[in-house]
Amino acid sequence: MTDEQAGWSGFWQGEPAASAGATLANLSPDLRNRLDAPWAAFADALPAKARVLDLATGGGIVLDLLRRMRTDLALTGVDATPKLPTRPGMTLRGGIWLDRLPFDNACFEAVTSRFGIEYGPLGSSASEAARVLRPGGALCLLLHHAGSKVLLHNRARRDALHWAARESGWVTKAVNLARTRKAIAMPTPPTFRAAAASSVARFPTQPAAWEFLTGLAQVLELVPRADGEAAVLQLLARAEGELARLDALVAAACDTDRLAELTDALTQGGIELAPVRTVDEADGTPLAWHIAGRKSA
């Protein structure tokens, strides 16, 4: 399992299907409603007992939305993450790569993805999506927009956490202190608290570095000496899991070039696409690309 898979696996195991992803957890109700809106029209247009495949499904967010609108749908979600949670009314299958779908040709009436397909190889994943979609079947995708505020926020969070956990040197100092304490009782130097405070000047608009370094100081101050090193490494492992998710998000976000790569592959696979739209915030800033279409008969 890669660091990215491990990070997502732990996250999806604990996330309710109806909640937003880690990178979208702080969206306003209005913006969340804008993201949910395309699925209502999509669900209404599906035939009775339609088989739906959700790509990079995670915790089954899209499938849960569809299930609430249409109880007759046969809902399947796949994700590269090996372990996915069990959710009512749907089948979630982990360990499946989007460019190698284990399904026959033309076996689904609908293919969906919400902030998912862009995490895989775009061209080959789009080709596979088109392959498993039956003639006349519907496609609906929402993709991270490279110019969104979500991307700007999470890129800044990644940079701050990367510095604190990997570059600042405080993890190495904490491990060395914890190891020394196994033999000699030593107080926690005040420099650990000072490091957290000083990180605010380095990252004034992003608290991730302060959060991590404060947690490091608290581990050294509160955890029994015999468990100190393990606790420091556990804190680091959680940070690495988040960094893997943030790195993947930044790499996955679609600018116009990546969008063209995806739409070209879909078109070559026989998908007749509607004009690409965006889901926007109230001030007009794009949040997501909205791609919809049907496979040629």
Side-chain angles (χ1 to χ4, degrees):
M1 186 187 304
T2 65
D3 288 343
E4 181 183 342
Q5 287 176 310
W8 283 115
S9 182
F11 172 71
W12 292 127
Q13 286 293 321
E15 192 213 19
S19 69
T23 56
L24 300 168
N26 296 319
L27 292 182
S28 67
D30 172 69
L31 196 51
R32 196 179 304 281
N33 289 338
R34 293 174 189 234
L35 286 177
D36 291 347
W39 305 109
F42 183 78
D44 286 343
L46 293 178
K49 300 181 180 179
R51 294 160 295 179
V52 180
L53 176 64
D54 188 43
L55 303 175
T57 193
I61 298 170
V62 168
L63 297 183
D64 191 68
L65 287 170
L66 296 177
R67 179 183 64 84
R68 295 176 183 217
M69 299 169 191
R70 290 278 301 275
T71 59
D72 64 308
L73 301 177
L75 305 173
T76 300
V78 297
D79 201 284
T81 301
K83 294 182 179 180
L84 296 178
T86 299
R87 303 296 190 209
M90 65 187 75
T91 299
L92 302 184
R93 297 177 56 181
I96 294 176
W97 299 94
L98 301 189
D99 58 344
R100 301 189 294 277
L101 296 176
F103 304 109
D104 293 335
N105 295 344
C107 61
F108 290 96
E109 280 75 34
V111 173
T112 63
S113 180
R114 169 167 155 167
F115 303 132
I117 193 172
E118 63 269 43
Y119 285 88
L122 274 177
S124 52
S125 297
S127 297
E128 280 289 270
R131 179 184 67 79
V132 301
L133 189 62
R134 72 164 179 80
L139 175 91
C140 185
L141 310 174
L142 291 183
L143 299 89
H144 284 295
H145 195 294
S148 71
K149 295 176 184 178
V150 168
L151 261 294
L152 294 175
H153 167 80
N154 283 284
R155 185 179 288 113
R157 182 167 181 85
R158 179 199 63 175
D159 293 346
L161 187 57
H162 186 281
W163 174 83
R166 296 177 179 173
E167 297 179 356
S168 69
W170 285 105
V171 170
T172 299
K173 294 175 183 178
V175 169
N176 290 338
L177 177 60
R179 288 174 177 172
T180 301
R181 280 176 160 178
K182 291 179 181 179
I184 305 170
M186 296 178 60
T188 302
T191 51
F192 280 93
R193 283 286 183 180
S198 66
S199 70
V200 176
R202 181 182 286 264
F203 302 100
T205 63
Q206 178 46 253
W210 177 87
E211 292 167 355
F212 179 80
L213 294 177
T214 297
L216 200 61
Q218 290 175 340
V219 164
L220 294 172
E221 292 168 354
L222 302 176
V223 173
R225 285 188 295 149
D227 303 323
E229 181 179 357
V232 169
L233 295 178
Q234 184 179 37
L235 181 67
L236 177 62
R238 289 200 297 269
E240 291 291 351
E242 182 176 359
L243 281 169
R245 296 193 298 270
L246 292 171
D247 285 341
L249 167 63
V250 171
C254 289
D255 56 15
T256 53
D257 288 340
R258 280 177 57 77
L259 183 69
E261 180 183 356
L262 178 70
T263 55
D264 287 349
L266 290 172
T267 300
Q268 292 172 12
I271 306 295
E272 297 178 355
L273 295 174
V276 175
R277 300 189 292 116
T278 58
V279 177
D280 299 333
E281 300 201 34
D283 63 1
T285 303
L287 172 65
W289 300 103
H290 179 199
I291 300 174
R294 287 191 176 274
K295 191 168 184 178
S296 303

mmCIF file of all heavy atoms in Angstrom, residues 81-129:
data_model
loop_
_atom_site.group_PDB
_atom_site.id
_atom_site.type_symbol
_atom_site.label_atom_id
_atom_site.label_comp_id
_atom_site.label_asym_id
_atom_site.label_seq_id
_atom_site.Cartn_x
_atom_site.Cartn_y
_atom_site.Cartn_z
ATOM 1 N N THR A 81 -8.073 2.687 -3.128
ATOM 2 C CA THR A 81 -7.834 2.415 -1.713
ATOM 3 C C THR A 81 -8.256 0.981 -1.384
ATOM 4 O O THR A 81 -9.372 0.579 -1.707
ATOM 5 C CB THR A 81 -8.644 3.397 -0.844
ATOM 6 O OG1 THR A 81 -8.248 4.728 -1.165
ATOM 7 C CG2 THR A 81 -8.401 3.140 0.627
ATOM 8 N N PRO A 82 -7.385 0.204 -0.750
ATOM 9 C CA PRO A 82 -7.700 -1.218 -0.525
ATOM 10 C C PRO A 82 -8.918 -1.467 0.349
ATOM 11 O O PRO A 82 -9.702 -2.374 0.074
ATOM 12 C CB PRO A 82 -6.426 -1.762 0.141
ATOM 13 C CG PRO A 82 -5.350 -0.817 -0.267
ATOM 14 C CD PRO A 82 -6.001 0.527 -0.356
ATOM 15 N N LYS A 83 -9.091 -0.672 1.403
ATOM 16 C CA LYS A 83 -10.174 -0.921 2.345
ATOM 17 C C LYS A 83 -11.155 0.240 2.330
ATOM 18 O O LYS A 83 -10.793 1.380 2.581
ATOM 19 C CB LYS A 83 -9.618 -1.124 3.758
ATOM 20 C CG LYS A 83 -8.764 -2.374 3.913
ATOM 21 C CD LYS A 83 -8.304 -2.531 5.354
ATOM 22 C CE LYS A 83 -7.456 -3.792 5.526
ATOM 23 N NZ LYS A 83 -7.004 -3.970 6.926
ATOM 24 N N LEU A 84 -12.406 -0.085 2.039
ATOM 25 C CA LEU A 84 -13.466 0.904 2.046
ATOM 26 C C LEU A 84 -14.520 0.514 3.076
ATOM 27 O O LEU A 84 -14.650 -0.660 3.424
ATOM 28 C CB LEU A 84 -14.118 0.997 0.656
ATOM 29 C CG LEU A 84 -13.219 1.490 -0.478
ATOM 30 C CD1 LEU A 84 -13.997 1.472 -1.790
ATOM 31 C CD2 LEU A 84 -12.690 2.881 -0.202
ATOM 32 N N PRO A 85 -15.268 1.487 3.562
ATOM 33 C CA PRO A 85 -16.297 1.177 4.565
ATOM 34 C C PRO A 85 -17.477 0.448 3.950
ATOM 35 O O PRO A 85 -17.640 0.388 2.730
ATOM 36 C CB PRO A 85 -16.709 2.560 5.072
ATOM 37 C CG PRO A 85 -16.434 3.471 3.917
ATOM 38 C CD PRO A 85 -15.197 2.926 3.253
ATOM 39 N N THR A 86 -18.307 -0.106 4.797
ATOM 40 C CA THR A 86 -19.568 -0.706 4.370
ATOM 41 C C THR A 86 -20.664 0.342 4.503
ATOM 42 O O THR A 86 -20.830 0.936 5.566
ATOM 43 C CB THR A 86 -19.915 -1.932 5.232
ATOM 44 O OG1 THR A 86 -18.873 -2.902 5.083
ATOM 45 C CG2 THR A 86 -21.234 -2.531 4.810
ATOM 46 N N ARG A 87 -21.383 0.598 3.414
ATOM 47 C CA ARG A 87 -22.454 1.591 3.417
ATOM 48 C C ARG A 87 -23.762 0.957 2.970
ATOM 49 O O ARG A 87 -23.759 0.091 2.087
ATOM 50 C CB ARG A 87 -22.103 2.754 2.477
ATOM 51 C CG ARG A 87 -20.790 3.467 2.775
ATOM 52 C CD ARG A 87 -20.815 4.160 4.117
ATOM 53 N NE ARG A 87 -19.652 5.027 4.292
ATOM 54 C CZ ARG A 87 -19.112 5.316 5.459
ATOM 55 N NH1 ARG A 87 -19.625 4.805 6.575
ATOM 56 N NH2 ARG A 87 -18.068 6.108 5.542
ATOM 57 N N PRO A 88 -24.865 1.373 3.541
ATOM 58 C CA PRO A 88 -26.161 0.770 3.155
ATOM 59 C C PRO A 88 -26.548 1.121 1.730
ATOM 60 O O PRO A 88 -26.311 2.235 1.264
ATOM 61 C CB PRO A 88 -27.140 1.377 4.169
ATOM 62 C CG PRO A 88 -26.491 2.659 4.611
ATOM 63 C CD PRO A 88 -25.022 2.387 4.600
ATOM 64 N N GLY A 89 -27.140 0.163 1.037
ATOM 65 C CA GLY A 89 -27.703 0.420 -0.273
ATOM 66 C C GLY A 89 -26.724 0.508 -1.409
ATOM 67 O O GLY A 89 -27.089 0.946 -2.511
ATOM 68 N N MET A 90 -25.475 0.108 -1.196
ATOM 69 C CA MET A 90 -24.474 0.198 -2.248
ATOM 70 C C MET A 90 -23.385 -0.838 -2.020
ATOM 71 O O MET A 90 -23.233 -1.371 -0.918
ATOM 72 C CB MET A 90 -23.854 1.600 -2.282
ATOM 73 C CG MET A 90 -23.051 1.952 -1.037
ATOM 74 S SD MET A 90 -22.498 3.675 -0.980
ATOM 75 C CE MET A 90 -24.028 4.528 -0.563
ATOM 76 N N THR A 91 -22.625 -1.122 -3.065
ATOM 77 C CA THR A 91 -21.480 -2.014 -2.978
ATOM 78 C C THR A 91 -20.223 -1.218 -3.265
ATOM 79 O O THR A 91 -20.090 -0.631 -4.351
ATOM 80 C CB THR A 91 -21.598 -3.171 -3.992
ATOM 81 O OG1 THR A 91 -22.765 -3.927 -3.724
ATOM 82 C CG2 THR A 91 -20.382 -4.075 -3.916
ATOM 83 N N LEU A 92 -19.310 -1.166 -2.299
ATOM 84 C CA LEU A 92 -18.048 -0.448 -2.473
ATOM 85 C C LEU A 92 -16.918 -1.461 -2.567
ATOM 86 O O LEU A 92 -16.770 -2.324 -1.698
ATOM 87 C CB LEU A 92 -17.808 0.514 -1.304
ATOM 88 C CG LEU A 92 -18.884 1.562 -1.052
ATOM 89 C CD1 LEU A 92 -18.449 2.504 0.065
ATOM 90 C CD2 LEU A 92 -19.215 2.347 -2.318
ATOM 91 N N ARG A 93 -16.101 -1.350 -3.618
ATOM 92 C CA ARG A 93 -15.011 -2.291 -3.859
ATOM 93 C C ARG A 93 -13.682 -1.546 -3.893
ATOM 94 O O ARG A 93 -13.487 -0.633 -4.702
ATOM 95 C CB ARG A 93 -15.229 -3.036 -5.175
ATOM 96 C CG ARG A 93 -16.478 -3.904 -5.193
ATOM 97 C CD ARG A 93 -16.680 -4.549 -6.553
ATOM 98 N NE ARG A 93 -15.522 -5.334 -6.965
ATOM 99 C CZ ARG A 93 -15.440 -5.982 -8.122
ATOM 100 N NH1 ARG A 93 -16.466 -5.939 -8.972
ATOM 101 N NH2 ARG A 93 -14.358 -6.665 -8.440
ATOM 102 N N GLY A 94 -12.771 -1.929 -2.991
ATOM 103 C CA GLY A 94 -11.468 -1.305 -2.939
ATOM 104 C C GLY A 94 -10.436 -2.062 -3.751
ATOM 105 O O GLY A 94 -10.677 -3.165 -4.239
ATOM 106 N N GLY A 95 -9.250 -1.439 -3.886
ATOM 107 C CA GLY A 95 -8.154 -2.069 -4.597
ATOM 108 C C GLY A 95 -8.354 -2.138 -6.103
ATOM 109 O O GLY A 95 -7.766 -2.995 -6.769
ATOM 110 N N ILE A 96 -9.148 -1.234 -6.656
ATOM 111 C CA ILE A 96 -9.434 -1.237 -8.092
ATOM 112 C C ILE A 96 -8.944 0.077 -8.698
ATOM 113 O O ILE A 96 -9.330 1.160 -8.257
ATOM 114 C CB ILE A 96 -10.939 -1.419 -8.360
ATOM 115 C CG1 ILE A 96 -11.385 -2.813 -7.903
ATOM 116 C CG2 ILE A 96 -11.260 -1.205 -9.835
ATOM 117 C CD1 ILE A 96 -12.859 -3.061 -8.032
ATOM 118 N N TRP A 97 -8.100 -0.037 -9.712
ATOM 119 C CA TRP A 97 -7.536 1.135 -10.392
ATOM 120 C C TRP A 97 -8.447 1.555 -11.531
ATOM 121 O O TRP A 97 -8.986 0.724 -12.256
ATOM 122 C CB TRP A 97 -6.129 0.824 -10.902
ATOM 123 C CG TRP A 97 -5.196 0.480 -9.788
ATOM 124 C CD1 TRP A 97 -4.898 -0.765 -9.326
ATOM 125 C CD2 TRP A 97 -4.491 1.398 -8.961
ATOM 126 N NE1 TRP A 97 -4.032 -0.686 -8.262
ATOM 127 C CE2 TRP A 97 -3.752 0.635 -8.014
ATOM 128 C CE3 TRP A 97 -4.379 2.789 -8.917
ATOM 129 C CZ2 TRP A 97 -2.942 1.212 -7.046
ATOM 130 C CZ3 TRP A 97 -3.562 3.367 -7.955
ATOM 131 C CH2 TRP A 97 -2.859 2.584 -7.042
ATOM 132 N N LEU A 98 -8.595 2.849 -11.709
ATOM 133 C CA LEU A 98 -9.557 3.360 -12.680
ATOM 134 C C LEU A 98 -9.170 3.062 -14.119
ATOM 135 O O LEU A 98 -10.033 3.033 -15.000
ATOM 136 C CB LEU A 98 -9.720 4.874 -12.502
ATOM 137 C CG LEU A 98 -10.193 5.350 -11.124
ATOM 138 C CD1 LEU A 98 -10.515 6.831 -11.170
ATOM 139 C CD2 LEU A 98 -11.391 4.553 -10.640
ATOM 140 N N ASP A 99 -7.892 2.850 -14.384
ATOM 141 C CA ASP A 99 -7.469 2.540 -15.744
ATOM 142 C C ASP A 99 -7.475 1.035 -16.033
ATOM 143 O O ASP A 99 -7.075 0.606 -17.110
ATOM 144 C CB ASP A 99 -6.089 3.126 -16.030
ATOM 145 C CG ASP A 99 -5.026 2.620 -15.068
ATOM 146 O OD1 ASP A 99 -5.382 2.070 -14.014
ATOM 147 O OD2 ASP A 99 -3.827 2.791 -15.370
ATOM 148 N N ARG A 100 -7.961 0.243 -15.049
ATOM 149 C CA ARG A 100 -8.048 -1.213 -15.229
ATOM 150 C C ARG A 100 -9.330 -1.710 -14.545
ATOM 151 O O ARG A 100 -9.289 -2.492 -13.601
ATOM 152 C CB ARG A 100 -6.821 -1.908 -14.638
ATOM 153 C CG ARG A 100 -5.508 -1.458 -15.251
ATOM 154 C CD ARG A 100 -4.338 -2.332 -14.798
ATOM 155 N NE ARG A 100 -4.057 -2.221 -13.384
ATOM 156 C CZ ARG A 100 -3.316 -1.258 -12.838
ATOM 157 N NH1 ARG A 100 -2.787 -0.321 -13.608
ATOM 158 N NH2 ARG A 100 -3.081 -1.230 -11.543
ATOM 159 N N LEU A 101 -10.471 -1.294 -15.026
ATOM 160 C CA LEU A 101 -11.738 -1.652 -14.400
ATOM 161 C C LEU A 101 -12.087 -3.116 -14.682
ATOM 162 O O LEU A 101 -12.038 -3.556 -15.834
ATOM 163 C CB LEU A 101 -12.864 -0.746 -14.908
ATOM 164 C CG LEU A 101 -12.748 0.742 -14.561
ATOM 165 C CD1 LEU A 101 -13.873 1.525 -15.219
ATOM 166 C CD2 LEU A 101 -12.757 0.950 -13.053
ATOM 167 N N PRO A 102 -12.461 -3.871 -13.655
ATOM 168 C CA PRO A 102 -12.741 -5.309 -13.820
ATOM 169 C C PRO A 102 -14.191 -5.587 -14.228
ATOM 170 O O PRO A 102 -14.868 -6.432 -13.643
ATOM 171 C CB PRO A 102 -12.447 -5.862 -12.427
ATOM 172 C CG PRO A 102 -12.869 -4.754 -11.505
ATOM 173 C CD PRO A 102 -12.515 -3.467 -12.232
ATOM 174 N N PHE A 103 -14.669 -4.871 -15.231
ATOM 175 C CA PHE A 103 -16.053 -5.018 -15.664
ATOM 176 C C PHE A 103 -16.099 -5.234 -17.176
ATOM 177 O O PHE A 103 -15.224 -4.768 -17.916
ATOM 178 C CB PHE A 103 -16.879 -3.782 -15.300
ATOM 179 C CG PHE A 103 -16.852 -3.430 -13.836
ATOM 180 C CD1 PHE A 103 -16.178 -2.312 -13.387
ATOM 181 C CD2 PHE A 103 -17.509 -4.234 -12.909
ATOM 182 C CE1 PHE A 103 -16.146 -1.986 -12.038
ATOM 183 C CE2 PHE A 103 -17.488 -3.925 -11.565
ATOM 184 C CZ PHE A 103 -16.802 -2.806 -11.123
ATOM 185 N N ASP A 104 -17.157 -5.916 -17.634
ATOM 186 C CA ASP A 104 -17.348 -6.139 -19.061
ATOM 187 C C ASP A 104 -17.692 -4.839 -19.779
ATOM 188 O O ASP A 104 -18.097 -3.844 -19.154
ATOM 189 C CB ASP A 104 -18.472 -7.144 -19.287
ATOM 190 C CG ASP A 104 -18.111 -8.538 -18.782
ATOM 191 O OD1 ASP A 104 -16.900 -8.848 -18.702
ATOM 192 O OD2 ASP A 104 -19.044 -9.302 -18.464
ATOM 193 N N ASN A 105 -17.558 -4.865 -21.078
ATOM 194 C CA ASN A 105 -17.957 -3.725 -21.888
ATOM 195 C C ASN A 105 -19.456 -3.453 -21.730
ATOM 196 O O ASN A 105 -20.263 -4.378 -21.603
ATOM 197 C CB ASN A 105 -17.666 -3.981 -23.370
ATOM 198 C CG ASN A 105 -16.184 -4.101 -23.662
ATOM 199 O OD1 ASN A 105 -15.341 -3.715 -22.848
ATOM 200 N ND2 ASN A 105 -15.859 -4.650 -24.822
ATOM 201 N N ALA A 106 -19.800 -2.173 -21.718
ATOM 202 C CA ALA A 106 -21.208 -1.740 -21.788
ATOM 203 C C ALA A 106 -22.094 -2.398 -20.740
ATOM 204 O O ALA A 106 -23.173 -2.910 -21.059
ATOM 205 C CB ALA A 106 -21.754 -2.009 -23.192
ATOM 206 N N CYS A 107 -21.651 -2.401 -19.483
ATOM 207 C CA CYS A 107 -22.440 -3.082 -18.445
ATOM 208 C C CYS A 107 -23.066 -2.124 -17.431
ATOM 209 O O CYS A 107 -23.700 -2.574 -16.480
ATOM 210 C CB CYS A 107 -21.585 -4.128 -17.736
ATOM 211 S SG CYS A 107 -20.133 -3.465 -16.905
ATOM 212 N N PHE A 108 -22.908 -0.806 -17.616
ATOM 213 C CA PHE A 108 -23.511 0.156 -16.697
ATOM 214 C C PHE A 108 -24.340 1.175 -17.482
ATOM 215 O O PHE A 108 -23.955 1.601 -18.577
ATOM 216 C CB PHE A 108 -22.444 0.892 -15.889
ATOM 217 C CG PHE A 108 -21.747 0.027 -14.878
ATOM 218 C CD1 PHE A 108 -20.524 -0.573 -15.185
ATOM 219 C CD2 PHE A 108 -22.308 -0.210 -13.636
ATOM 220 C CE1 PHE A 108 -19.887 -1.383 -14.263
ATOM 221 C CE2 PHE A 108 -21.677 -1.016 -12.702
ATOM 222 C CZ PHE A 108 -20.458 -1.608 -13.022
ATOM 223 N N GLU A 109 -25.468 1.541 -16.893
ATOM 224 C CA GLU A 109 -26.303 2.592 -17.491
ATOM 225 C C GLU A 109 -25.796 3.986 -17.149
ATOM 226 O O GLU A 109 -26.224 4.969 -17.780
ATOM 227 C CB GLU A 109 -27.758 2.465 -17.022
ATOM 228 C CG GLU A 109 -28.569 1.403 -17.741
ATOM 229 C CD GLU A 109 -28.201 -0.004 -17.288
ATOM 230 O OE1 GLU A 109 -27.874 -0.183 -16.091
ATOM 231 O OE2 GLU A 109 -28.234 -0.921 -18.127
ATOM 232 N N ALA A 110 -24.921 4.102 -16.156
ATOM 233 C CA ALA A 110 -24.405 5.415 -15.768
ATOM 234 C C ALA A 110 -23.020 5.258 -15.132
ATOM 235 O O ALA A 110 -22.756 4.272 -14.439
ATOM 236 C CB ALA A 110 -25.356 6.110 -14.787
ATOM 237 N N VAL A 111 -22.176 6.248 -15.378
ATOM 238 C CA VAL A 111 -20.862 6.332 -14.744
ATOM 239 C C VAL A 111 -20.729 7.721 -14.140
ATOM 240 O O VAL A 111 -21.037 8.731 -14.787
ATOM 241 C CB VAL A 111 -19.716 6.081 -15.746
ATOM 242 C CG1 VAL A 111 -18.364 6.347 -15.100
ATOM 243 C CG2 VAL A 111 -19.773 4.647 -16.267
ATOM 244 N N THR A 112 -20.279 7.766 -12.883
ATOM 245 C CA THR A 112 -20.166 9.031 -12.171
ATOM 246 C C THR A 112 -18.794 9.143 -11.497
ATOM 247 O O THR A 112 -18.102 8.156 -11.300
ATOM 248 C CB THR A 112 -21.247 9.162 -11.086
ATOM 249 O OG1 THR A 112 -21.052 8.119 -10.106
ATOM 250 C CG2 THR A 112 -22.640 9.046 -11.672
ATOM 251 N N SER A 113 -18.452 10.359 -11.142
ATOM 252 C CA SER A 113 -17.283 10.592 -10.291
ATOM 253 C C SER A 113 -17.373 12.014 -9.759
ATOM 254 O O SER A 113 -17.710 12.938 -10.501
ATOM 255 C CB SER A 113 -15.974 10.411 -11.060
ATOM 256 O OG SER A 113 -14.855 10.639 -10.216
ATOM 257 N N ARG A 114 -17.102 12.150 -8.485
ATOM 258 C CA ARG A 114 -17.076 13.479 -7.865
ATOM 259 C C ARG A 114 -15.736 13.637 -7.176
ATOM 260 O O ARG A 114 -15.453 12.988 -6.174
ATOM 261 C CB ARG A 114 -18.233 13.622 -6.868
ATOM 262 C CG ARG A 114 -18.151 14.858 -5.983
ATOM 263 C CD ARG A 114 -19.468 15.076 -5.277
ATOM 264 N NE ARG A 114 -19.315 15.823 -4.041
ATOM 265 C CZ ARG A 114 -20.316 16.363 -3.360
ATOM 266 N NH1 ARG A 114 -21.554 16.221 -3.799
ATOM 267 N NH2 ARG A 114 -20.104 17.000 -2.231
ATOM 268 N N PHE A 115 -14.880 14.480 -7.739
ATOM 269 C CA PHE A 115 -13.534 14.700 -7.217
ATOM 270 C C PHE A 115 -12.812 13.367 -7.055
ATOM 271 O O PHE A 115 -12.324 13.037 -5.988
ATOM 272 C CB PHE A 115 -13.579 15.459 -5.892
ATOM 273 C CG PHE A 115 -14.294 16.779 -5.982
ATOM 274 C CD1 PHE A 115 -15.256 17.128 -5.056
ATOM 275 C CD2 PHE A 115 -14.019 17.658 -7.009
ATOM 276 C CE1 PHE A 115 -15.932 18.351 -5.148
ATOM 277 C CE2 PHE A 115 -14.687 18.876 -7.115
ATOM 278 C CZ PHE A 115 -15.646 19.220 -6.180
ATOM 279 N N GLY A 116 -12.800 12.576 -8.143
ATOM 280 C CA GLY A 116 -12.202 11.257 -8.062
ATOM 281 C C GLY A 116 -11.426 10.839 -9.286
ATOM 282 O O GLY A 116 -10.264 10.473 -9.193
ATOM 283 N N ILE A 117 -12.045 10.899 -10.471
ATOM 284 C CA ILE A 117 -11.405 10.377 -11.664
ATOM 285 C C ILE A 117 -10.103 11.094 -11.979
ATOM 286 O O ILE A 117 -9.174 10.518 -12.539
ATOM 287 C CB ILE A 117 -12.361 10.437 -12.878
ATOM 288 C CG1 ILE A 117 -11.804 9.597 -14.033
ATOM 289 C CG2 ILE A 117 -12.653 11.877 -13.279
ATOM 290 C CD1 ILE A 117 -12.765 9.451 -15.193
ATOM 291 N N GLU A 118 -9.990 12.362 -11.572
ATOM 292 C CA GLU A 118 -8.774 13.118 -11.867
ATOM 293 C C GLU A 118 -7.570 12.649 -11.057
ATOM 294 O O GLU A 118 -6.434 13.014 -11.351
ATOM 295 C CB GLU A 118 -9.005 14.623 -11.650
ATOM 296 C CG GLU A 118 -9.330 15.040 -10.232
ATOM 297 C CD GLU A 118 -10.819 15.063 -9.948
ATOM 298 O OE1 GLU A 118 -11.530 14.123 -10.372
ATOM 299 O OE2 GLU A 118 -11.276 16.006 -9.280
ATOM 300 N N TYR A 119 -7.793 11.811 -10.037
ATOM 301 C CA TYR A 119 -6.689 11.286 -9.247
ATOM 302 C C TYR A 119 -5.979 10.130 -9.950
ATOM 303 O O TYR A 119 -4.886 9.745 -9.562
ATOM 304 C CB TYR A 119 -7.178 10.818 -7.871
ATOM 305 C CG TYR A 119 -7.465 11.953 -6.922
ATOM 306 C CD1 TYR A 119 -8.711 12.566 -6.889
ATOM 307 C CD2 TYR A 119 -6.485 12.413 -6.047
ATOM 308 C CE1 TYR A 119 -8.978 13.608 -6.016
ATOM 309 C CE2 TYR A 119 -6.736 13.458 -5.170
ATOM 310 C CZ TYR A 119 -7.985 14.050 -5.158
ATOM 311 O OH TYR A 119 -8.246 15.082 -4.293
ATOM 312 N N GLY A 120 -6.614 9.547 -10.952
ATOM 313 C CA GLY A 120 -5.994 8.468 -11.705
ATOM 314 C C GLY A 120 -5.383 8.988 -12.991
ATOM 315 O O GLY A 120 -5.440 10.191 -13.289
ATOM 316 N N PRO A 121 -4.808 8.096 -13.816
ATOM 317 C CA PRO A 121 -4.324 8.504 -15.145
ATOM 318 C C PRO A 121 -5.512 8.985 -15.978
ATOM 319 O O PRO A 121 -6.426 8.213 -16.269
ATOM 320 C CB PRO A 121 -3.703 7.221 -15.708
ATOM 321 C CG PRO A 121 -3.503 6.315 -14.527
ATOM 322 C CD PRO A 121 -4.573 6.660 -13.544
ATOM 323 N N LEU A 122 -5.505 10.237 -16.362
ATOM 324 C CA LEU A 122 -6.710 10.831 -16.931
ATOM 325 C C LEU A 122 -7.174 10.149 -18.209
ATOM 326 O O LEU A 122 -8.342 9.743 -18.322
ATOM 327 C CB LEU A 122 -6.475 12.320 -17.201
ATOM 328 C CG LEU A 122 -6.736 13.274 -16.042
ATOM 329 C CD1 LEU A 122 -6.383 14.693 -16.457
ATOM 330 C CD2 LEU A 122 -8.181 13.220 -15.600
ATOM 331 N N GLY A 123 -6.291 10.027 -19.188
ATOM 332 C CA GLY A 123 -6.702 9.498 -20.474
ATOM 333 C C GLY A 123 -7.193 8.074 -20.397
ATOM 334 O O GLY A 123 -8.286 7.746 -20.890
ATOM 335 N N SER A 124 -6.418 7.195 -19.771
ATOM 336 C CA SER A 124 -6.800 5.782 -19.707
ATOM 337 C C SER A 124 -7.994 5.562 -18.788
ATOM 338 O O SER A 124 -8.825 4.682 -19.030
ATOM 339 C CB SER A 124 -5.612 4.930 -19.256
ATOM 340 O OG SER A 124 -5.047 5.429 -18.060
ATOM 341 N N SER A 125 -8.129 6.369 -17.736
ATOM 342 C CA SER A 125 -9.299 6.251 -16.862
ATOM 343 C C SER A 125 -10.566 6.666 -17.602
ATOM 344 O O SER A 125 -11.623 6.029 -17.471
ATOM 345 C CB SER A 125 -9.117 7.105 -15.609
ATOM 346 O OG SER A 125 -8.027 6.664 -14.835
ATOM 347 N N ALA A 126 -10.467 7.727 -18.394
ATOM 348 C CA ALA A 126 -11.623 8.167 -19.184
ATOM 349 C C ALA A 126 -11.997 7.118 -20.223
ATOM 350 O O ALA A 126 -13.188 6.861 -20.462
ATOM 351 C CB ALA A 126 -11.322 9.499 -19.854
ATOM 352 N N SER A 127 -10.997 6.501 -20.838
ATOM 353 C CA SER A 127 -11.274 5.451 -21.824
ATOM 354 C C SER A 127 -12.000 4.278 -21.185
ATOM 355 O O SER A 127 -12.930 3.701 -21.778
ATOM 356 C CB SER A 127 -9.971 4.980 -22.468
ATOM 357 O OG SER A 127 -9.353 6.037 -23.186
ATOM 358 N N GLU A 128 -11.583 3.904 -19.969
ATOM 359 C CA GLU A 128 -12.236 2.812 -19.269
ATOM 360 C C GLU A 128 -13.666 3.185 -18.877
ATOM 361 O O GLU A 128 -14.578 2.357 -18.959
ATOM 362 C CB GLU A 128 -11.442 2.434 -18.021
ATOM 363 C CG GLU A 128 -10.254 1.550 -18.293
ATOM 364 C CD GLU A 128 -10.702 0.151 -18.672
ATOM 365 O OE1 GLU A 128 -10.865 -0.704 -17.782
ATOM 366 O OE2 GLU A 128 -10.911 -0.083 -19.883
ATOM 367 N N ALA A 129 -13.864 4.424 -18.463
ATOM 368 C CA ALA A 129 -15.223 4.877 -18.134
ATOM 369 C C ALA A 129 -16.132 4.757 -19.349
ATOM 370 O O ALA A 129 -17.284 4.303 -19.250
ATOM 371 C CB ALA A 129 -15.189 6.308 -17.627
#
